[in-house]
Amino acid sequence: MDDGEIKKFPCHDLYIINKLWLQYSEARFGFSVQQRIWQAKKDCKRFAYKVGWLASLANSEWIKYEEYTFSLDAPKGHFPSISRLVGLDSRNLREVEHRVKIFLSRY
């Protein structure tokens, strides 16, 4: 997704997706969970580390899809993976931050 596509994504659909994530994850995952973490961190690298998308704060290397924790043991906010949703690679942290801000502001 590019900036324009993110801005056009219907808010109503985001609310439905968020509600389903909250309901089926015991309120561990969803956009609203990520938004609270983002507000507390206000730094893309620390946010991504907190939700388990970065292996360490020492580098900007995203974990691979196969390394995600597909259970309720995953860190809060681990899903949905916005960085993957907006189609970004791990080499451009500023672009990730830019698009995560736009995406979470839509929610």
Side-chain angles (χ1 to χ4, degrees), residues 1 25-26 29-30 33 35 41-42 58 63 69 74 76 83-84 87 91-93 98 101 104-106:
M1 290 182 147
S25 71
E26 300 173 7
F29 309 134
V33 175
Q35 189 177 50
K41 298 296 177 192
K42 301 235 186 213
I63 64 168
T69 304
K76 281 191 173 191
S83 63
R84 303 227 189 256
R91 292 178 290 275
N92 195 340
L93 194 59
H98 170 74
K101 282 180 186 178
L104 290 177
S105 74
R106 300 273 302 140

PDB file of all heavy atoms in Angstrom, residues 1 25-26 29-30 33 35 41-42 58 63 69 74 76 83-84 87 91-93 98 101 104-106:
ATOM      1  N   MET A   1       0.844  -1.191   0.000  1.00  0.00           N
ATOM      2  CA  MET A   1       0.000   0.000   0.000  1.00  0.00           C
ATOM      3  C   MET A   1       0.883   1.247   0.000  1.00  0.00           C
ATOM      4  O   MET A   1       1.831   1.313   0.762  1.00  0.00           O
ATOM      5  CB  MET A   1      -0.843   0.063   1.269  1.00  0.00           C
ATOM      6  CG  MET A   1      -1.931  -0.933   1.399  1.00  0.00           C
ATOM      7  SD  MET A   1      -2.833  -0.619   2.946  1.00  0.00           S
ATOM      8  CE  MET A   1      -4.427  -1.114   2.452  1.00  0.00           C
ATOM      9  N   SER A  25      -8.217 -12.508  20.230  1.00  0.00           N
ATOM     10  CA  SER A  25      -6.867 -12.566  20.803  1.00  0.00           C
ATOM     11  C   SER A  25      -6.859 -12.212  22.285  1.00  0.00           C
ATOM     12  O   SER A  25      -5.800 -11.957  22.849  1.00  0.00           O
ATOM     13  CB  SER A  25      -5.940 -11.599  20.061  1.00  0.00           C
ATOM     14  OG  SER A  25      -6.265 -10.251  20.375  1.00  0.00           O
ATOM     15  N   GLU A  26      -8.031 -12.187  22.887  1.00  0.00           N
ATOM     16  CA  GLU A  26      -8.135 -11.791  24.298  1.00  0.00           C
ATOM     17  C   GLU A  26      -7.568 -10.386  24.496  1.00  0.00           C
ATOM     18  O   GLU A  26      -6.870 -10.107  25.466  1.00  0.00           O
ATOM     19  CB  GLU A  26      -7.442 -12.818  25.194  1.00  0.00           C
ATOM     20  CG  GLU A  26      -8.046 -14.207  25.082  1.00  0.00           C
ATOM     21  CD  GLU A  26      -7.272 -15.279  25.825  1.00  0.00           C
ATOM     22  OE1 GLU A  26      -6.312 -14.960  26.553  1.00  0.00           O
ATOM     23  OE2 GLU A  26      -7.642 -16.457  25.664  1.00  0.00           O
ATOM     24  N   PHE A  29      -4.089  -8.281  20.508  1.00  0.00           N
ATOM     25  CA  PHE A  29      -3.719  -7.819  19.182  1.00  0.00           C
ATOM     26  C   PHE A  29      -4.800  -6.902  18.617  1.00  0.00           C
ATOM     27  O   PHE A  29      -5.953  -6.960  19.020  1.00  0.00           O
ATOM     28  CB  PHE A  29      -3.531  -9.003  18.224  1.00  0.00           C
ATOM     29  CG  PHE A  29      -2.623 -10.074  18.745  1.00  0.00           C
ATOM     30  CD1 PHE A  29      -2.987 -11.412  18.640  1.00  0.00           C
ATOM     31  CD2 PHE A  29      -1.418  -9.778  19.334  1.00  0.00           C
ATOM     32  CE1 PHE A  29      -2.158 -12.421  19.111  1.00  0.00           C
ATOM     33  CE2 PHE A  29      -0.580 -10.770  19.812  1.00  0.00           C
ATOM     34  CZ  PHE A  29      -0.949 -12.094  19.700  1.00  0.00           C
ATOM     35  N   GLY A  30      -4.402  -6.078  17.659  1.00  0.00           N
ATOM     36  CA  GLY A  30      -5.334  -5.181  16.984  1.00  0.00           C
ATOM     37  C   GLY A  30      -4.727  -3.798  16.824  1.00  0.00           C
ATOM     38  O   GLY A  30      -3.719  -3.458  17.444  1.00  0.00           O
ATOM     39  N   VAL A  33      -4.604  -1.692  20.068  1.00  0.00           N
ATOM     40  CA  VAL A  33      -3.491  -2.084  20.943  1.00  0.00           C
ATOM     41  C   VAL A  33      -2.199  -1.453  20.420  1.00  0.00           C
ATOM     42  O   VAL A  33      -1.430  -0.872  21.184  1.00  0.00           O
ATOM     43  CB  VAL A  33      -3.369  -3.630  21.010  1.00  0.00           C
ATOM     44  CG1 VAL A  33      -2.145  -4.047  21.821  1.00  0.00           C
ATOM     45  CG2 VAL A  33      -4.637  -4.255  21.593  1.00  0.00           C
ATOM     46  N   GLN A  35      -1.930   1.178  18.544  1.00  0.00           N
ATOM     47  CA  GLN A  35      -2.004   2.632  18.678  1.00  0.00           C
ATOM     48  C   GLN A  35      -1.586   3.066  20.089  1.00  0.00           C
ATOM     49  O   GLN A  35      -0.857   4.039  20.243  1.00  0.00           O
ATOM     50  CB  GLN A  35      -3.410   3.118  18.354  1.00  0.00           C
ATOM     51  CG  GLN A  35      -3.516   4.624  18.252  1.00  0.00           C
ATOM     52  CD  GLN A  35      -4.906   5.061  17.852  1.00  0.00           C
ATOM     53  OE1 GLN A  35      -5.877   4.628  18.454  1.00  0.00           O
ATOM     54  NE2 GLN A  35      -4.980   5.887  16.840  1.00  0.00           N
ATOM     55  N   LYS A  41       5.497   4.956  22.860  1.00  0.00           N
ATOM     56  CA  LYS A  41       6.884   4.896  22.367  1.00  0.00           C
ATOM     57  C   LYS A  41       7.250   6.085  21.489  1.00  0.00           C
ATOM     58  O   LYS A  41       8.350   6.611  21.593  1.00  0.00           O
ATOM     59  CB  LYS A  41       7.120   3.592  21.586  1.00  0.00           C
ATOM     60  CG  LYS A  41       6.950   2.344  22.419  1.00  0.00           C
ATOM     61  CD  LYS A  41       7.975   2.283  23.512  1.00  0.00           C
ATOM     62  CE  LYS A  41       7.763   1.083  24.404  1.00  0.00           C
ATOM     63  NZ  LYS A  41       8.553   1.145  25.608  1.00  0.00           N
ATOM     64  N   LYS A  42       6.379   6.455  20.556  1.00  0.00           N
ATOM     65  CA  LYS A  42       6.603   7.559  19.609  1.00  0.00           C
ATOM     66  C   LYS A  42       7.936   7.452  18.870  1.00  0.00           C
ATOM     67  O   LYS A  42       8.539   8.443  18.499  1.00  0.00           O
ATOM     68  CB  LYS A  42       6.501   8.906  20.320  1.00  0.00           C
ATOM     69  CG  LYS A  42       5.166   9.129  20.969  1.00  0.00           C
ATOM     70  CD  LYS A  42       4.553  10.378  20.509  1.00  0.00           C
ATOM     71  CE  LYS A  42       3.291  10.584  21.331  1.00  0.00           C
ATOM     72  NZ  LYS A  42       2.263  11.199  20.686  1.00  0.00           N
ATOM     73  N   ALA A  58      19.474  -2.947  18.534  1.00  0.00           N
ATOM     74  CA  ALA A  58      20.811  -2.649  18.008  1.00  0.00           C
ATOM     75  C   ALA A  58      20.848  -2.562  16.488  1.00  0.00           C
ATOM     76  O   ALA A  58      21.760  -1.976  15.928  1.00  0.00           O
ATOM     77  CB  ALA A  58      21.801  -3.697  18.491  1.00  0.00           C
ATOM     78  N   ILE A  63      12.179  -9.127  11.741  1.00  0.00           N
ATOM     79  CA  ILE A  63      12.136 -10.583  11.793  1.00  0.00           C
ATOM     80  C   ILE A  63      11.431 -11.087  10.534  1.00  0.00           C
ATOM     81  O   ILE A  63      10.625 -10.371   9.939  1.00  0.00           O
ATOM     82  CB  ILE A  63      11.449 -11.114  13.070  1.00  0.00           C
ATOM     83  CG1 ILE A  63       9.979 -10.721  13.121  1.00  0.00           C
ATOM     84  CG2 ILE A  63      12.186 -10.654  14.305  1.00  0.00           C
ATOM     85  CD1 ILE A  63       9.182 -11.438  14.201  1.00  0.00           C
ATOM     86  N   THR A  69       5.470 -15.070  16.015  1.00  0.00           N
ATOM     87  CA  THR A  69       4.907 -15.958  17.023  1.00  0.00           C
ATOM     88  C   THR A  69       3.411 -16.022  16.784  1.00  0.00           C
ATOM     89  O   THR A  69       2.679 -15.083  17.115  1.00  0.00           O
ATOM     90  CB  THR A  69       5.201 -15.434  18.444  1.00  0.00           C
ATOM     91  OG1 THR A  69       6.613 -15.282  18.582  1.00  0.00           O
ATOM     92  CG2 THR A  69       4.682 -16.378  19.499  1.00  0.00           C
ATOM     93  N   ALA A  74       2.662 -14.291  21.742  1.00  0.00           N
ATOM     94  CA  ALA A  74       3.338 -13.201  21.034  1.00  0.00           C
ATOM     95  C   ALA A  74       3.217 -11.920  21.856  1.00  0.00           C
ATOM     96  O   ALA A  74       2.285 -11.752  22.643  1.00  0.00           O
ATOM     97  CB  ALA A  74       2.705 -13.006  19.661  1.00  0.00           C
ATOM     98  N   LYS A  76       2.242  -8.223  22.979  1.00  0.00           N
ATOM     99  CA  LYS A  76       1.046  -7.426  22.700  1.00  0.00           C
ATOM    100  C   LYS A  76       1.305  -6.554  21.484  1.00  0.00           C
ATOM    101  O   LYS A  76       2.371  -5.972  21.340  1.00  0.00           O
ATOM    102  CB  LYS A  76       0.680  -6.550  23.904  1.00  0.00           C
ATOM    103  CG  LYS A  76      -0.021  -7.293  24.973  1.00  0.00           C
ATOM    104  CD  LYS A  76      -0.588  -6.335  26.006  1.00  0.00           C
ATOM    105  CE  LYS A  76      -1.427  -7.137  26.972  1.00  0.00           C
ATOM    106  NZ  LYS A  76      -2.208  -6.284  27.845  1.00  0.00           N
ATOM    107  N   SER A  83       3.680  -3.222   9.289  1.00  0.00           N
ATOM    108  CA  SER A  83       4.845  -3.034   8.422  1.00  0.00           C
ATOM    109  C   SER A  83       4.762  -3.936   7.196  1.00  0.00           C
ATOM    110  O   SER A  83       5.131  -3.549   6.098  1.00  0.00           O
ATOM    111  CB  SER A  83       6.142  -3.303   9.184  1.00  0.00           C
ATOM    112  OG  SER A  83       6.203  -4.639   9.626  1.00  0.00           O
ATOM    113  N   ARG A  84       4.241  -5.123   7.352  1.00  0.00           N
ATOM    114  CA  ARG A  84       4.073  -6.021   6.207  1.00  0.00           C
ATOM    115  C   ARG A  84       2.830  -5.631   5.405  1.00  0.00           C
ATOM    116  O   ARG A  84       2.819  -5.732   4.195  1.00  0.00           O
ATOM    117  CB  ARG A  84       3.974  -7.463   6.678  1.00  0.00           C
ATOM    118  CG  ARG A  84       5.188  -7.875   7.483  1.00  0.00           C
ATOM    119  CD  ARG A  84       5.737  -9.183   7.078  1.00  0.00           C
ATOM    120  NE  ARG A  84       6.762  -9.600   8.016  1.00  0.00           N
ATOM    121  CZ  ARG A  84       8.050  -9.542   7.766  1.00  0.00           C
ATOM    122  NH1 ARG A  84       8.489  -9.078   6.630  1.00  0.00           N
ATOM    123  NH2 ARG A  84       8.927  -9.948   8.649  1.00  0.00           N
ATOM    124  N   GLY A  87       3.533  -3.097   2.941  1.00  0.00           N
ATOM    125  CA  GLY A  87       4.471  -3.552   1.918  1.00  0.00           C
ATOM    126  C   GLY A  87       5.845  -2.930   1.964  1.00  0.00           C
ATOM    127  O   GLY A  87       6.427  -2.630   0.934  1.00  0.00           O
ATOM    128  N   ARG A  91      14.835  -2.229   5.114  1.00  0.00           N
ATOM    129  CA  ARG A  91      15.957  -1.305   4.926  1.00  0.00           C
ATOM    130  C   ARG A  91      15.556   0.164   5.042  1.00  0.00           C
ATOM    131  O   ARG A  91      16.409   1.027   5.041  1.00  0.00           O
ATOM    132  CB  ARG A  91      16.612  -1.566   3.578  1.00  0.00           C
ATOM    133  CG  ARG A  91      17.312  -2.915   3.518  1.00  0.00           C
ATOM    134  CD  ARG A  91      17.910  -3.166   2.160  1.00  0.00           C
ATOM    135  NE  ARG A  91      16.890  -3.387   1.141  1.00  0.00           N
ATOM    136  CZ  ARG A  91      16.327  -4.552   0.893  1.00  0.00           C
ATOM    137  NH1 ARG A  91      16.647  -5.594   1.600  1.00  0.00           N
ATOM    138  NH2 ARG A  91      15.426  -4.683  -0.048  1.00  0.00           N
ATOM    139  N   ASN A  92      14.296   0.460   5.142  1.00  0.00           N
ATOM    140  CA  ASN A  92      13.876   1.854   5.145  1.00  0.00           C
ATOM    141  C   ASN A  92      13.003   2.157   6.350  1.00  0.00           C
ATOM    142  O   ASN A  92      11.792   2.264   6.248  1.00  0.00           O
ATOM    143  CB  ASN A  92      13.139   2.175   3.842  1.00  0.00           C
ATOM    144  CG  ASN A  92      13.008   3.657   3.627  1.00  0.00           C
ATOM    145  OD1 ASN A  92      13.114   4.445   4.560  1.00  0.00           O
ATOM    146  ND2 ASN A  92      12.774   4.037   2.392  1.00  0.00           N
ATOM    147  N   LEU A  93      13.625   2.304   7.507  1.00  0.00           N
ATOM    148  CA  LEU A  93      12.908   2.515   8.757  1.00  0.00           C
ATOM    149  C   LEU A  93      12.115   3.820   8.749  1.00  0.00           C
ATOM    150  O   LEU A  93      11.016   3.885   9.282  1.00  0.00           O
ATOM    151  CB  LEU A  93      13.886   2.486   9.929  1.00  0.00           C
ATOM    152  CG  LEU A  93      13.272   2.367  11.319  1.00  0.00           C
ATOM    153  CD1 LEU A  93      12.436   1.104  11.438  1.00  0.00           C
ATOM    154  CD2 LEU A  93      14.355   2.393  12.377  1.00  0.00           C
ATOM    155  N   HIS A  98       6.848   6.542   8.707  1.00  0.00           N
ATOM    156  CA  HIS A  98       5.917   7.437   8.017  1.00  0.00           C
ATOM    157  C   HIS A  98       4.582   6.745   7.765  1.00  0.00           C
ATOM    158  O   HIS A  98       3.513   7.269   8.078  1.00  0.00           O
ATOM    159  CB  HIS A  98       6.549   7.909   6.704  1.00  0.00           C
ATOM    160  CG  HIS A  98       5.629   8.629   5.796  1.00  0.00           C
ATOM    161  ND1 HIS A  98       5.207   9.926   6.042  1.00  0.00           N
ATOM    162  CD2 HIS A  98       5.021   8.240   4.641  1.00  0.00           C
ATOM    163  CE1 HIS A  98       4.387  10.295   5.074  1.00  0.00           C
ATOM    164  NE2 HIS A  98       4.261   9.299   4.214  1.00  0.00           N
ATOM    165  N   LYS A 101       2.606   5.734  10.986  1.00  0.00           N
ATOM    166  CA  LYS A 101       1.913   6.923  11.519  1.00  0.00           C
ATOM    167  C   LYS A 101       0.620   7.186  10.762  1.00  0.00           C
ATOM    168  O   LYS A 101      -0.422   7.449  11.360  1.00  0.00           O
ATOM    169  CB  LYS A 101       2.819   8.161  11.445  1.00  0.00           C
ATOM    170  CG  LYS A 101       3.860   8.245  12.497  1.00  0.00           C
ATOM    171  CD  LYS A 101       4.669   9.529  12.291  1.00  0.00           C
ATOM    172  CE  LYS A 101       5.833   9.620  13.218  1.00  0.00           C
ATOM    173  NZ  LYS A 101       6.619  10.837  12.985  1.00  0.00           N
ATOM    174  N   LEU A 104      -1.973   4.271  11.557  1.00  0.00           N
ATOM    175  CA  LEU A 104      -2.569   4.332  12.888  1.00  0.00           C
ATOM    176  C   LEU A 104      -3.408   5.598  13.084  1.00  0.00           C
ATOM    177  O   LEU A 104      -4.342   5.589  13.878  1.00  0.00           O
ATOM    178  CB  LEU A 104      -1.505   4.186  13.963  1.00  0.00           C
ATOM    179  CG  LEU A 104      -0.892   2.797  14.078  1.00  0.00           C
ATOM    180  CD1 LEU A 104       0.211   2.769  15.130  1.00  0.00           C
ATOM    181  CD2 LEU A 104      -1.946   1.737  14.375  1.00  0.00           C
ATOM    182  N   SER A 105      -3.095   6.644  12.358  1.00  0.00           N
ATOM    183  CA  SER A 105      -3.927   7.857  12.456  1.00  0.00           C
ATOM    184  C   SER A 105      -5.294   7.637  11.826  1.00  0.00           C
ATOM    185  O   SER A 105      -6.256   8.326  12.150  1.00  0.00           O
ATOM    186  CB  SER A 105      -3.227   9.048  11.808  1.00  0.00           C
ATOM    187  OG  SER A 105      -3.248   8.939  10.398  1.00  0.00           O
ATOM    188  N   ARG A 106      -5.389   6.662  10.925  1.00  0.00           N
ATOM    189  CA  ARG A 106      -6.668   6.346  10.293  1.00  0.00           C
ATOM    190  C   ARG A 106      -7.587   5.618  11.263  1.00  0.00           C
ATOM    191  O   ARG A 106      -8.784   5.588  11.098  1.00  0.00           O
ATOM    192  CB  ARG A 106      -6.456   5.458   9.054  1.00  0.00           C
ATOM    193  CG  ARG A 106      -5.608   6.065   7.995  1.00  0.00           C
ATOM    194  CD  ARG A 106      -6.367   6.916   7.036  1.00  0.00           C
ATOM    195  NE  ARG A 106      -7.402   6.106   6.406  1.00  0.00           N
ATOM    196  CZ  ARG A 106      -8.637   6.562   6.161  1.00  0.00           C
ATOM    197  NH1 ARG A 106      -8.973   7.769   6.469  1.00  0.00           N
ATOM    198  NH2 ARG A 106      -9.523   5.799   5.588  1.00  0.00           N
TER     199      ARG A 106
END
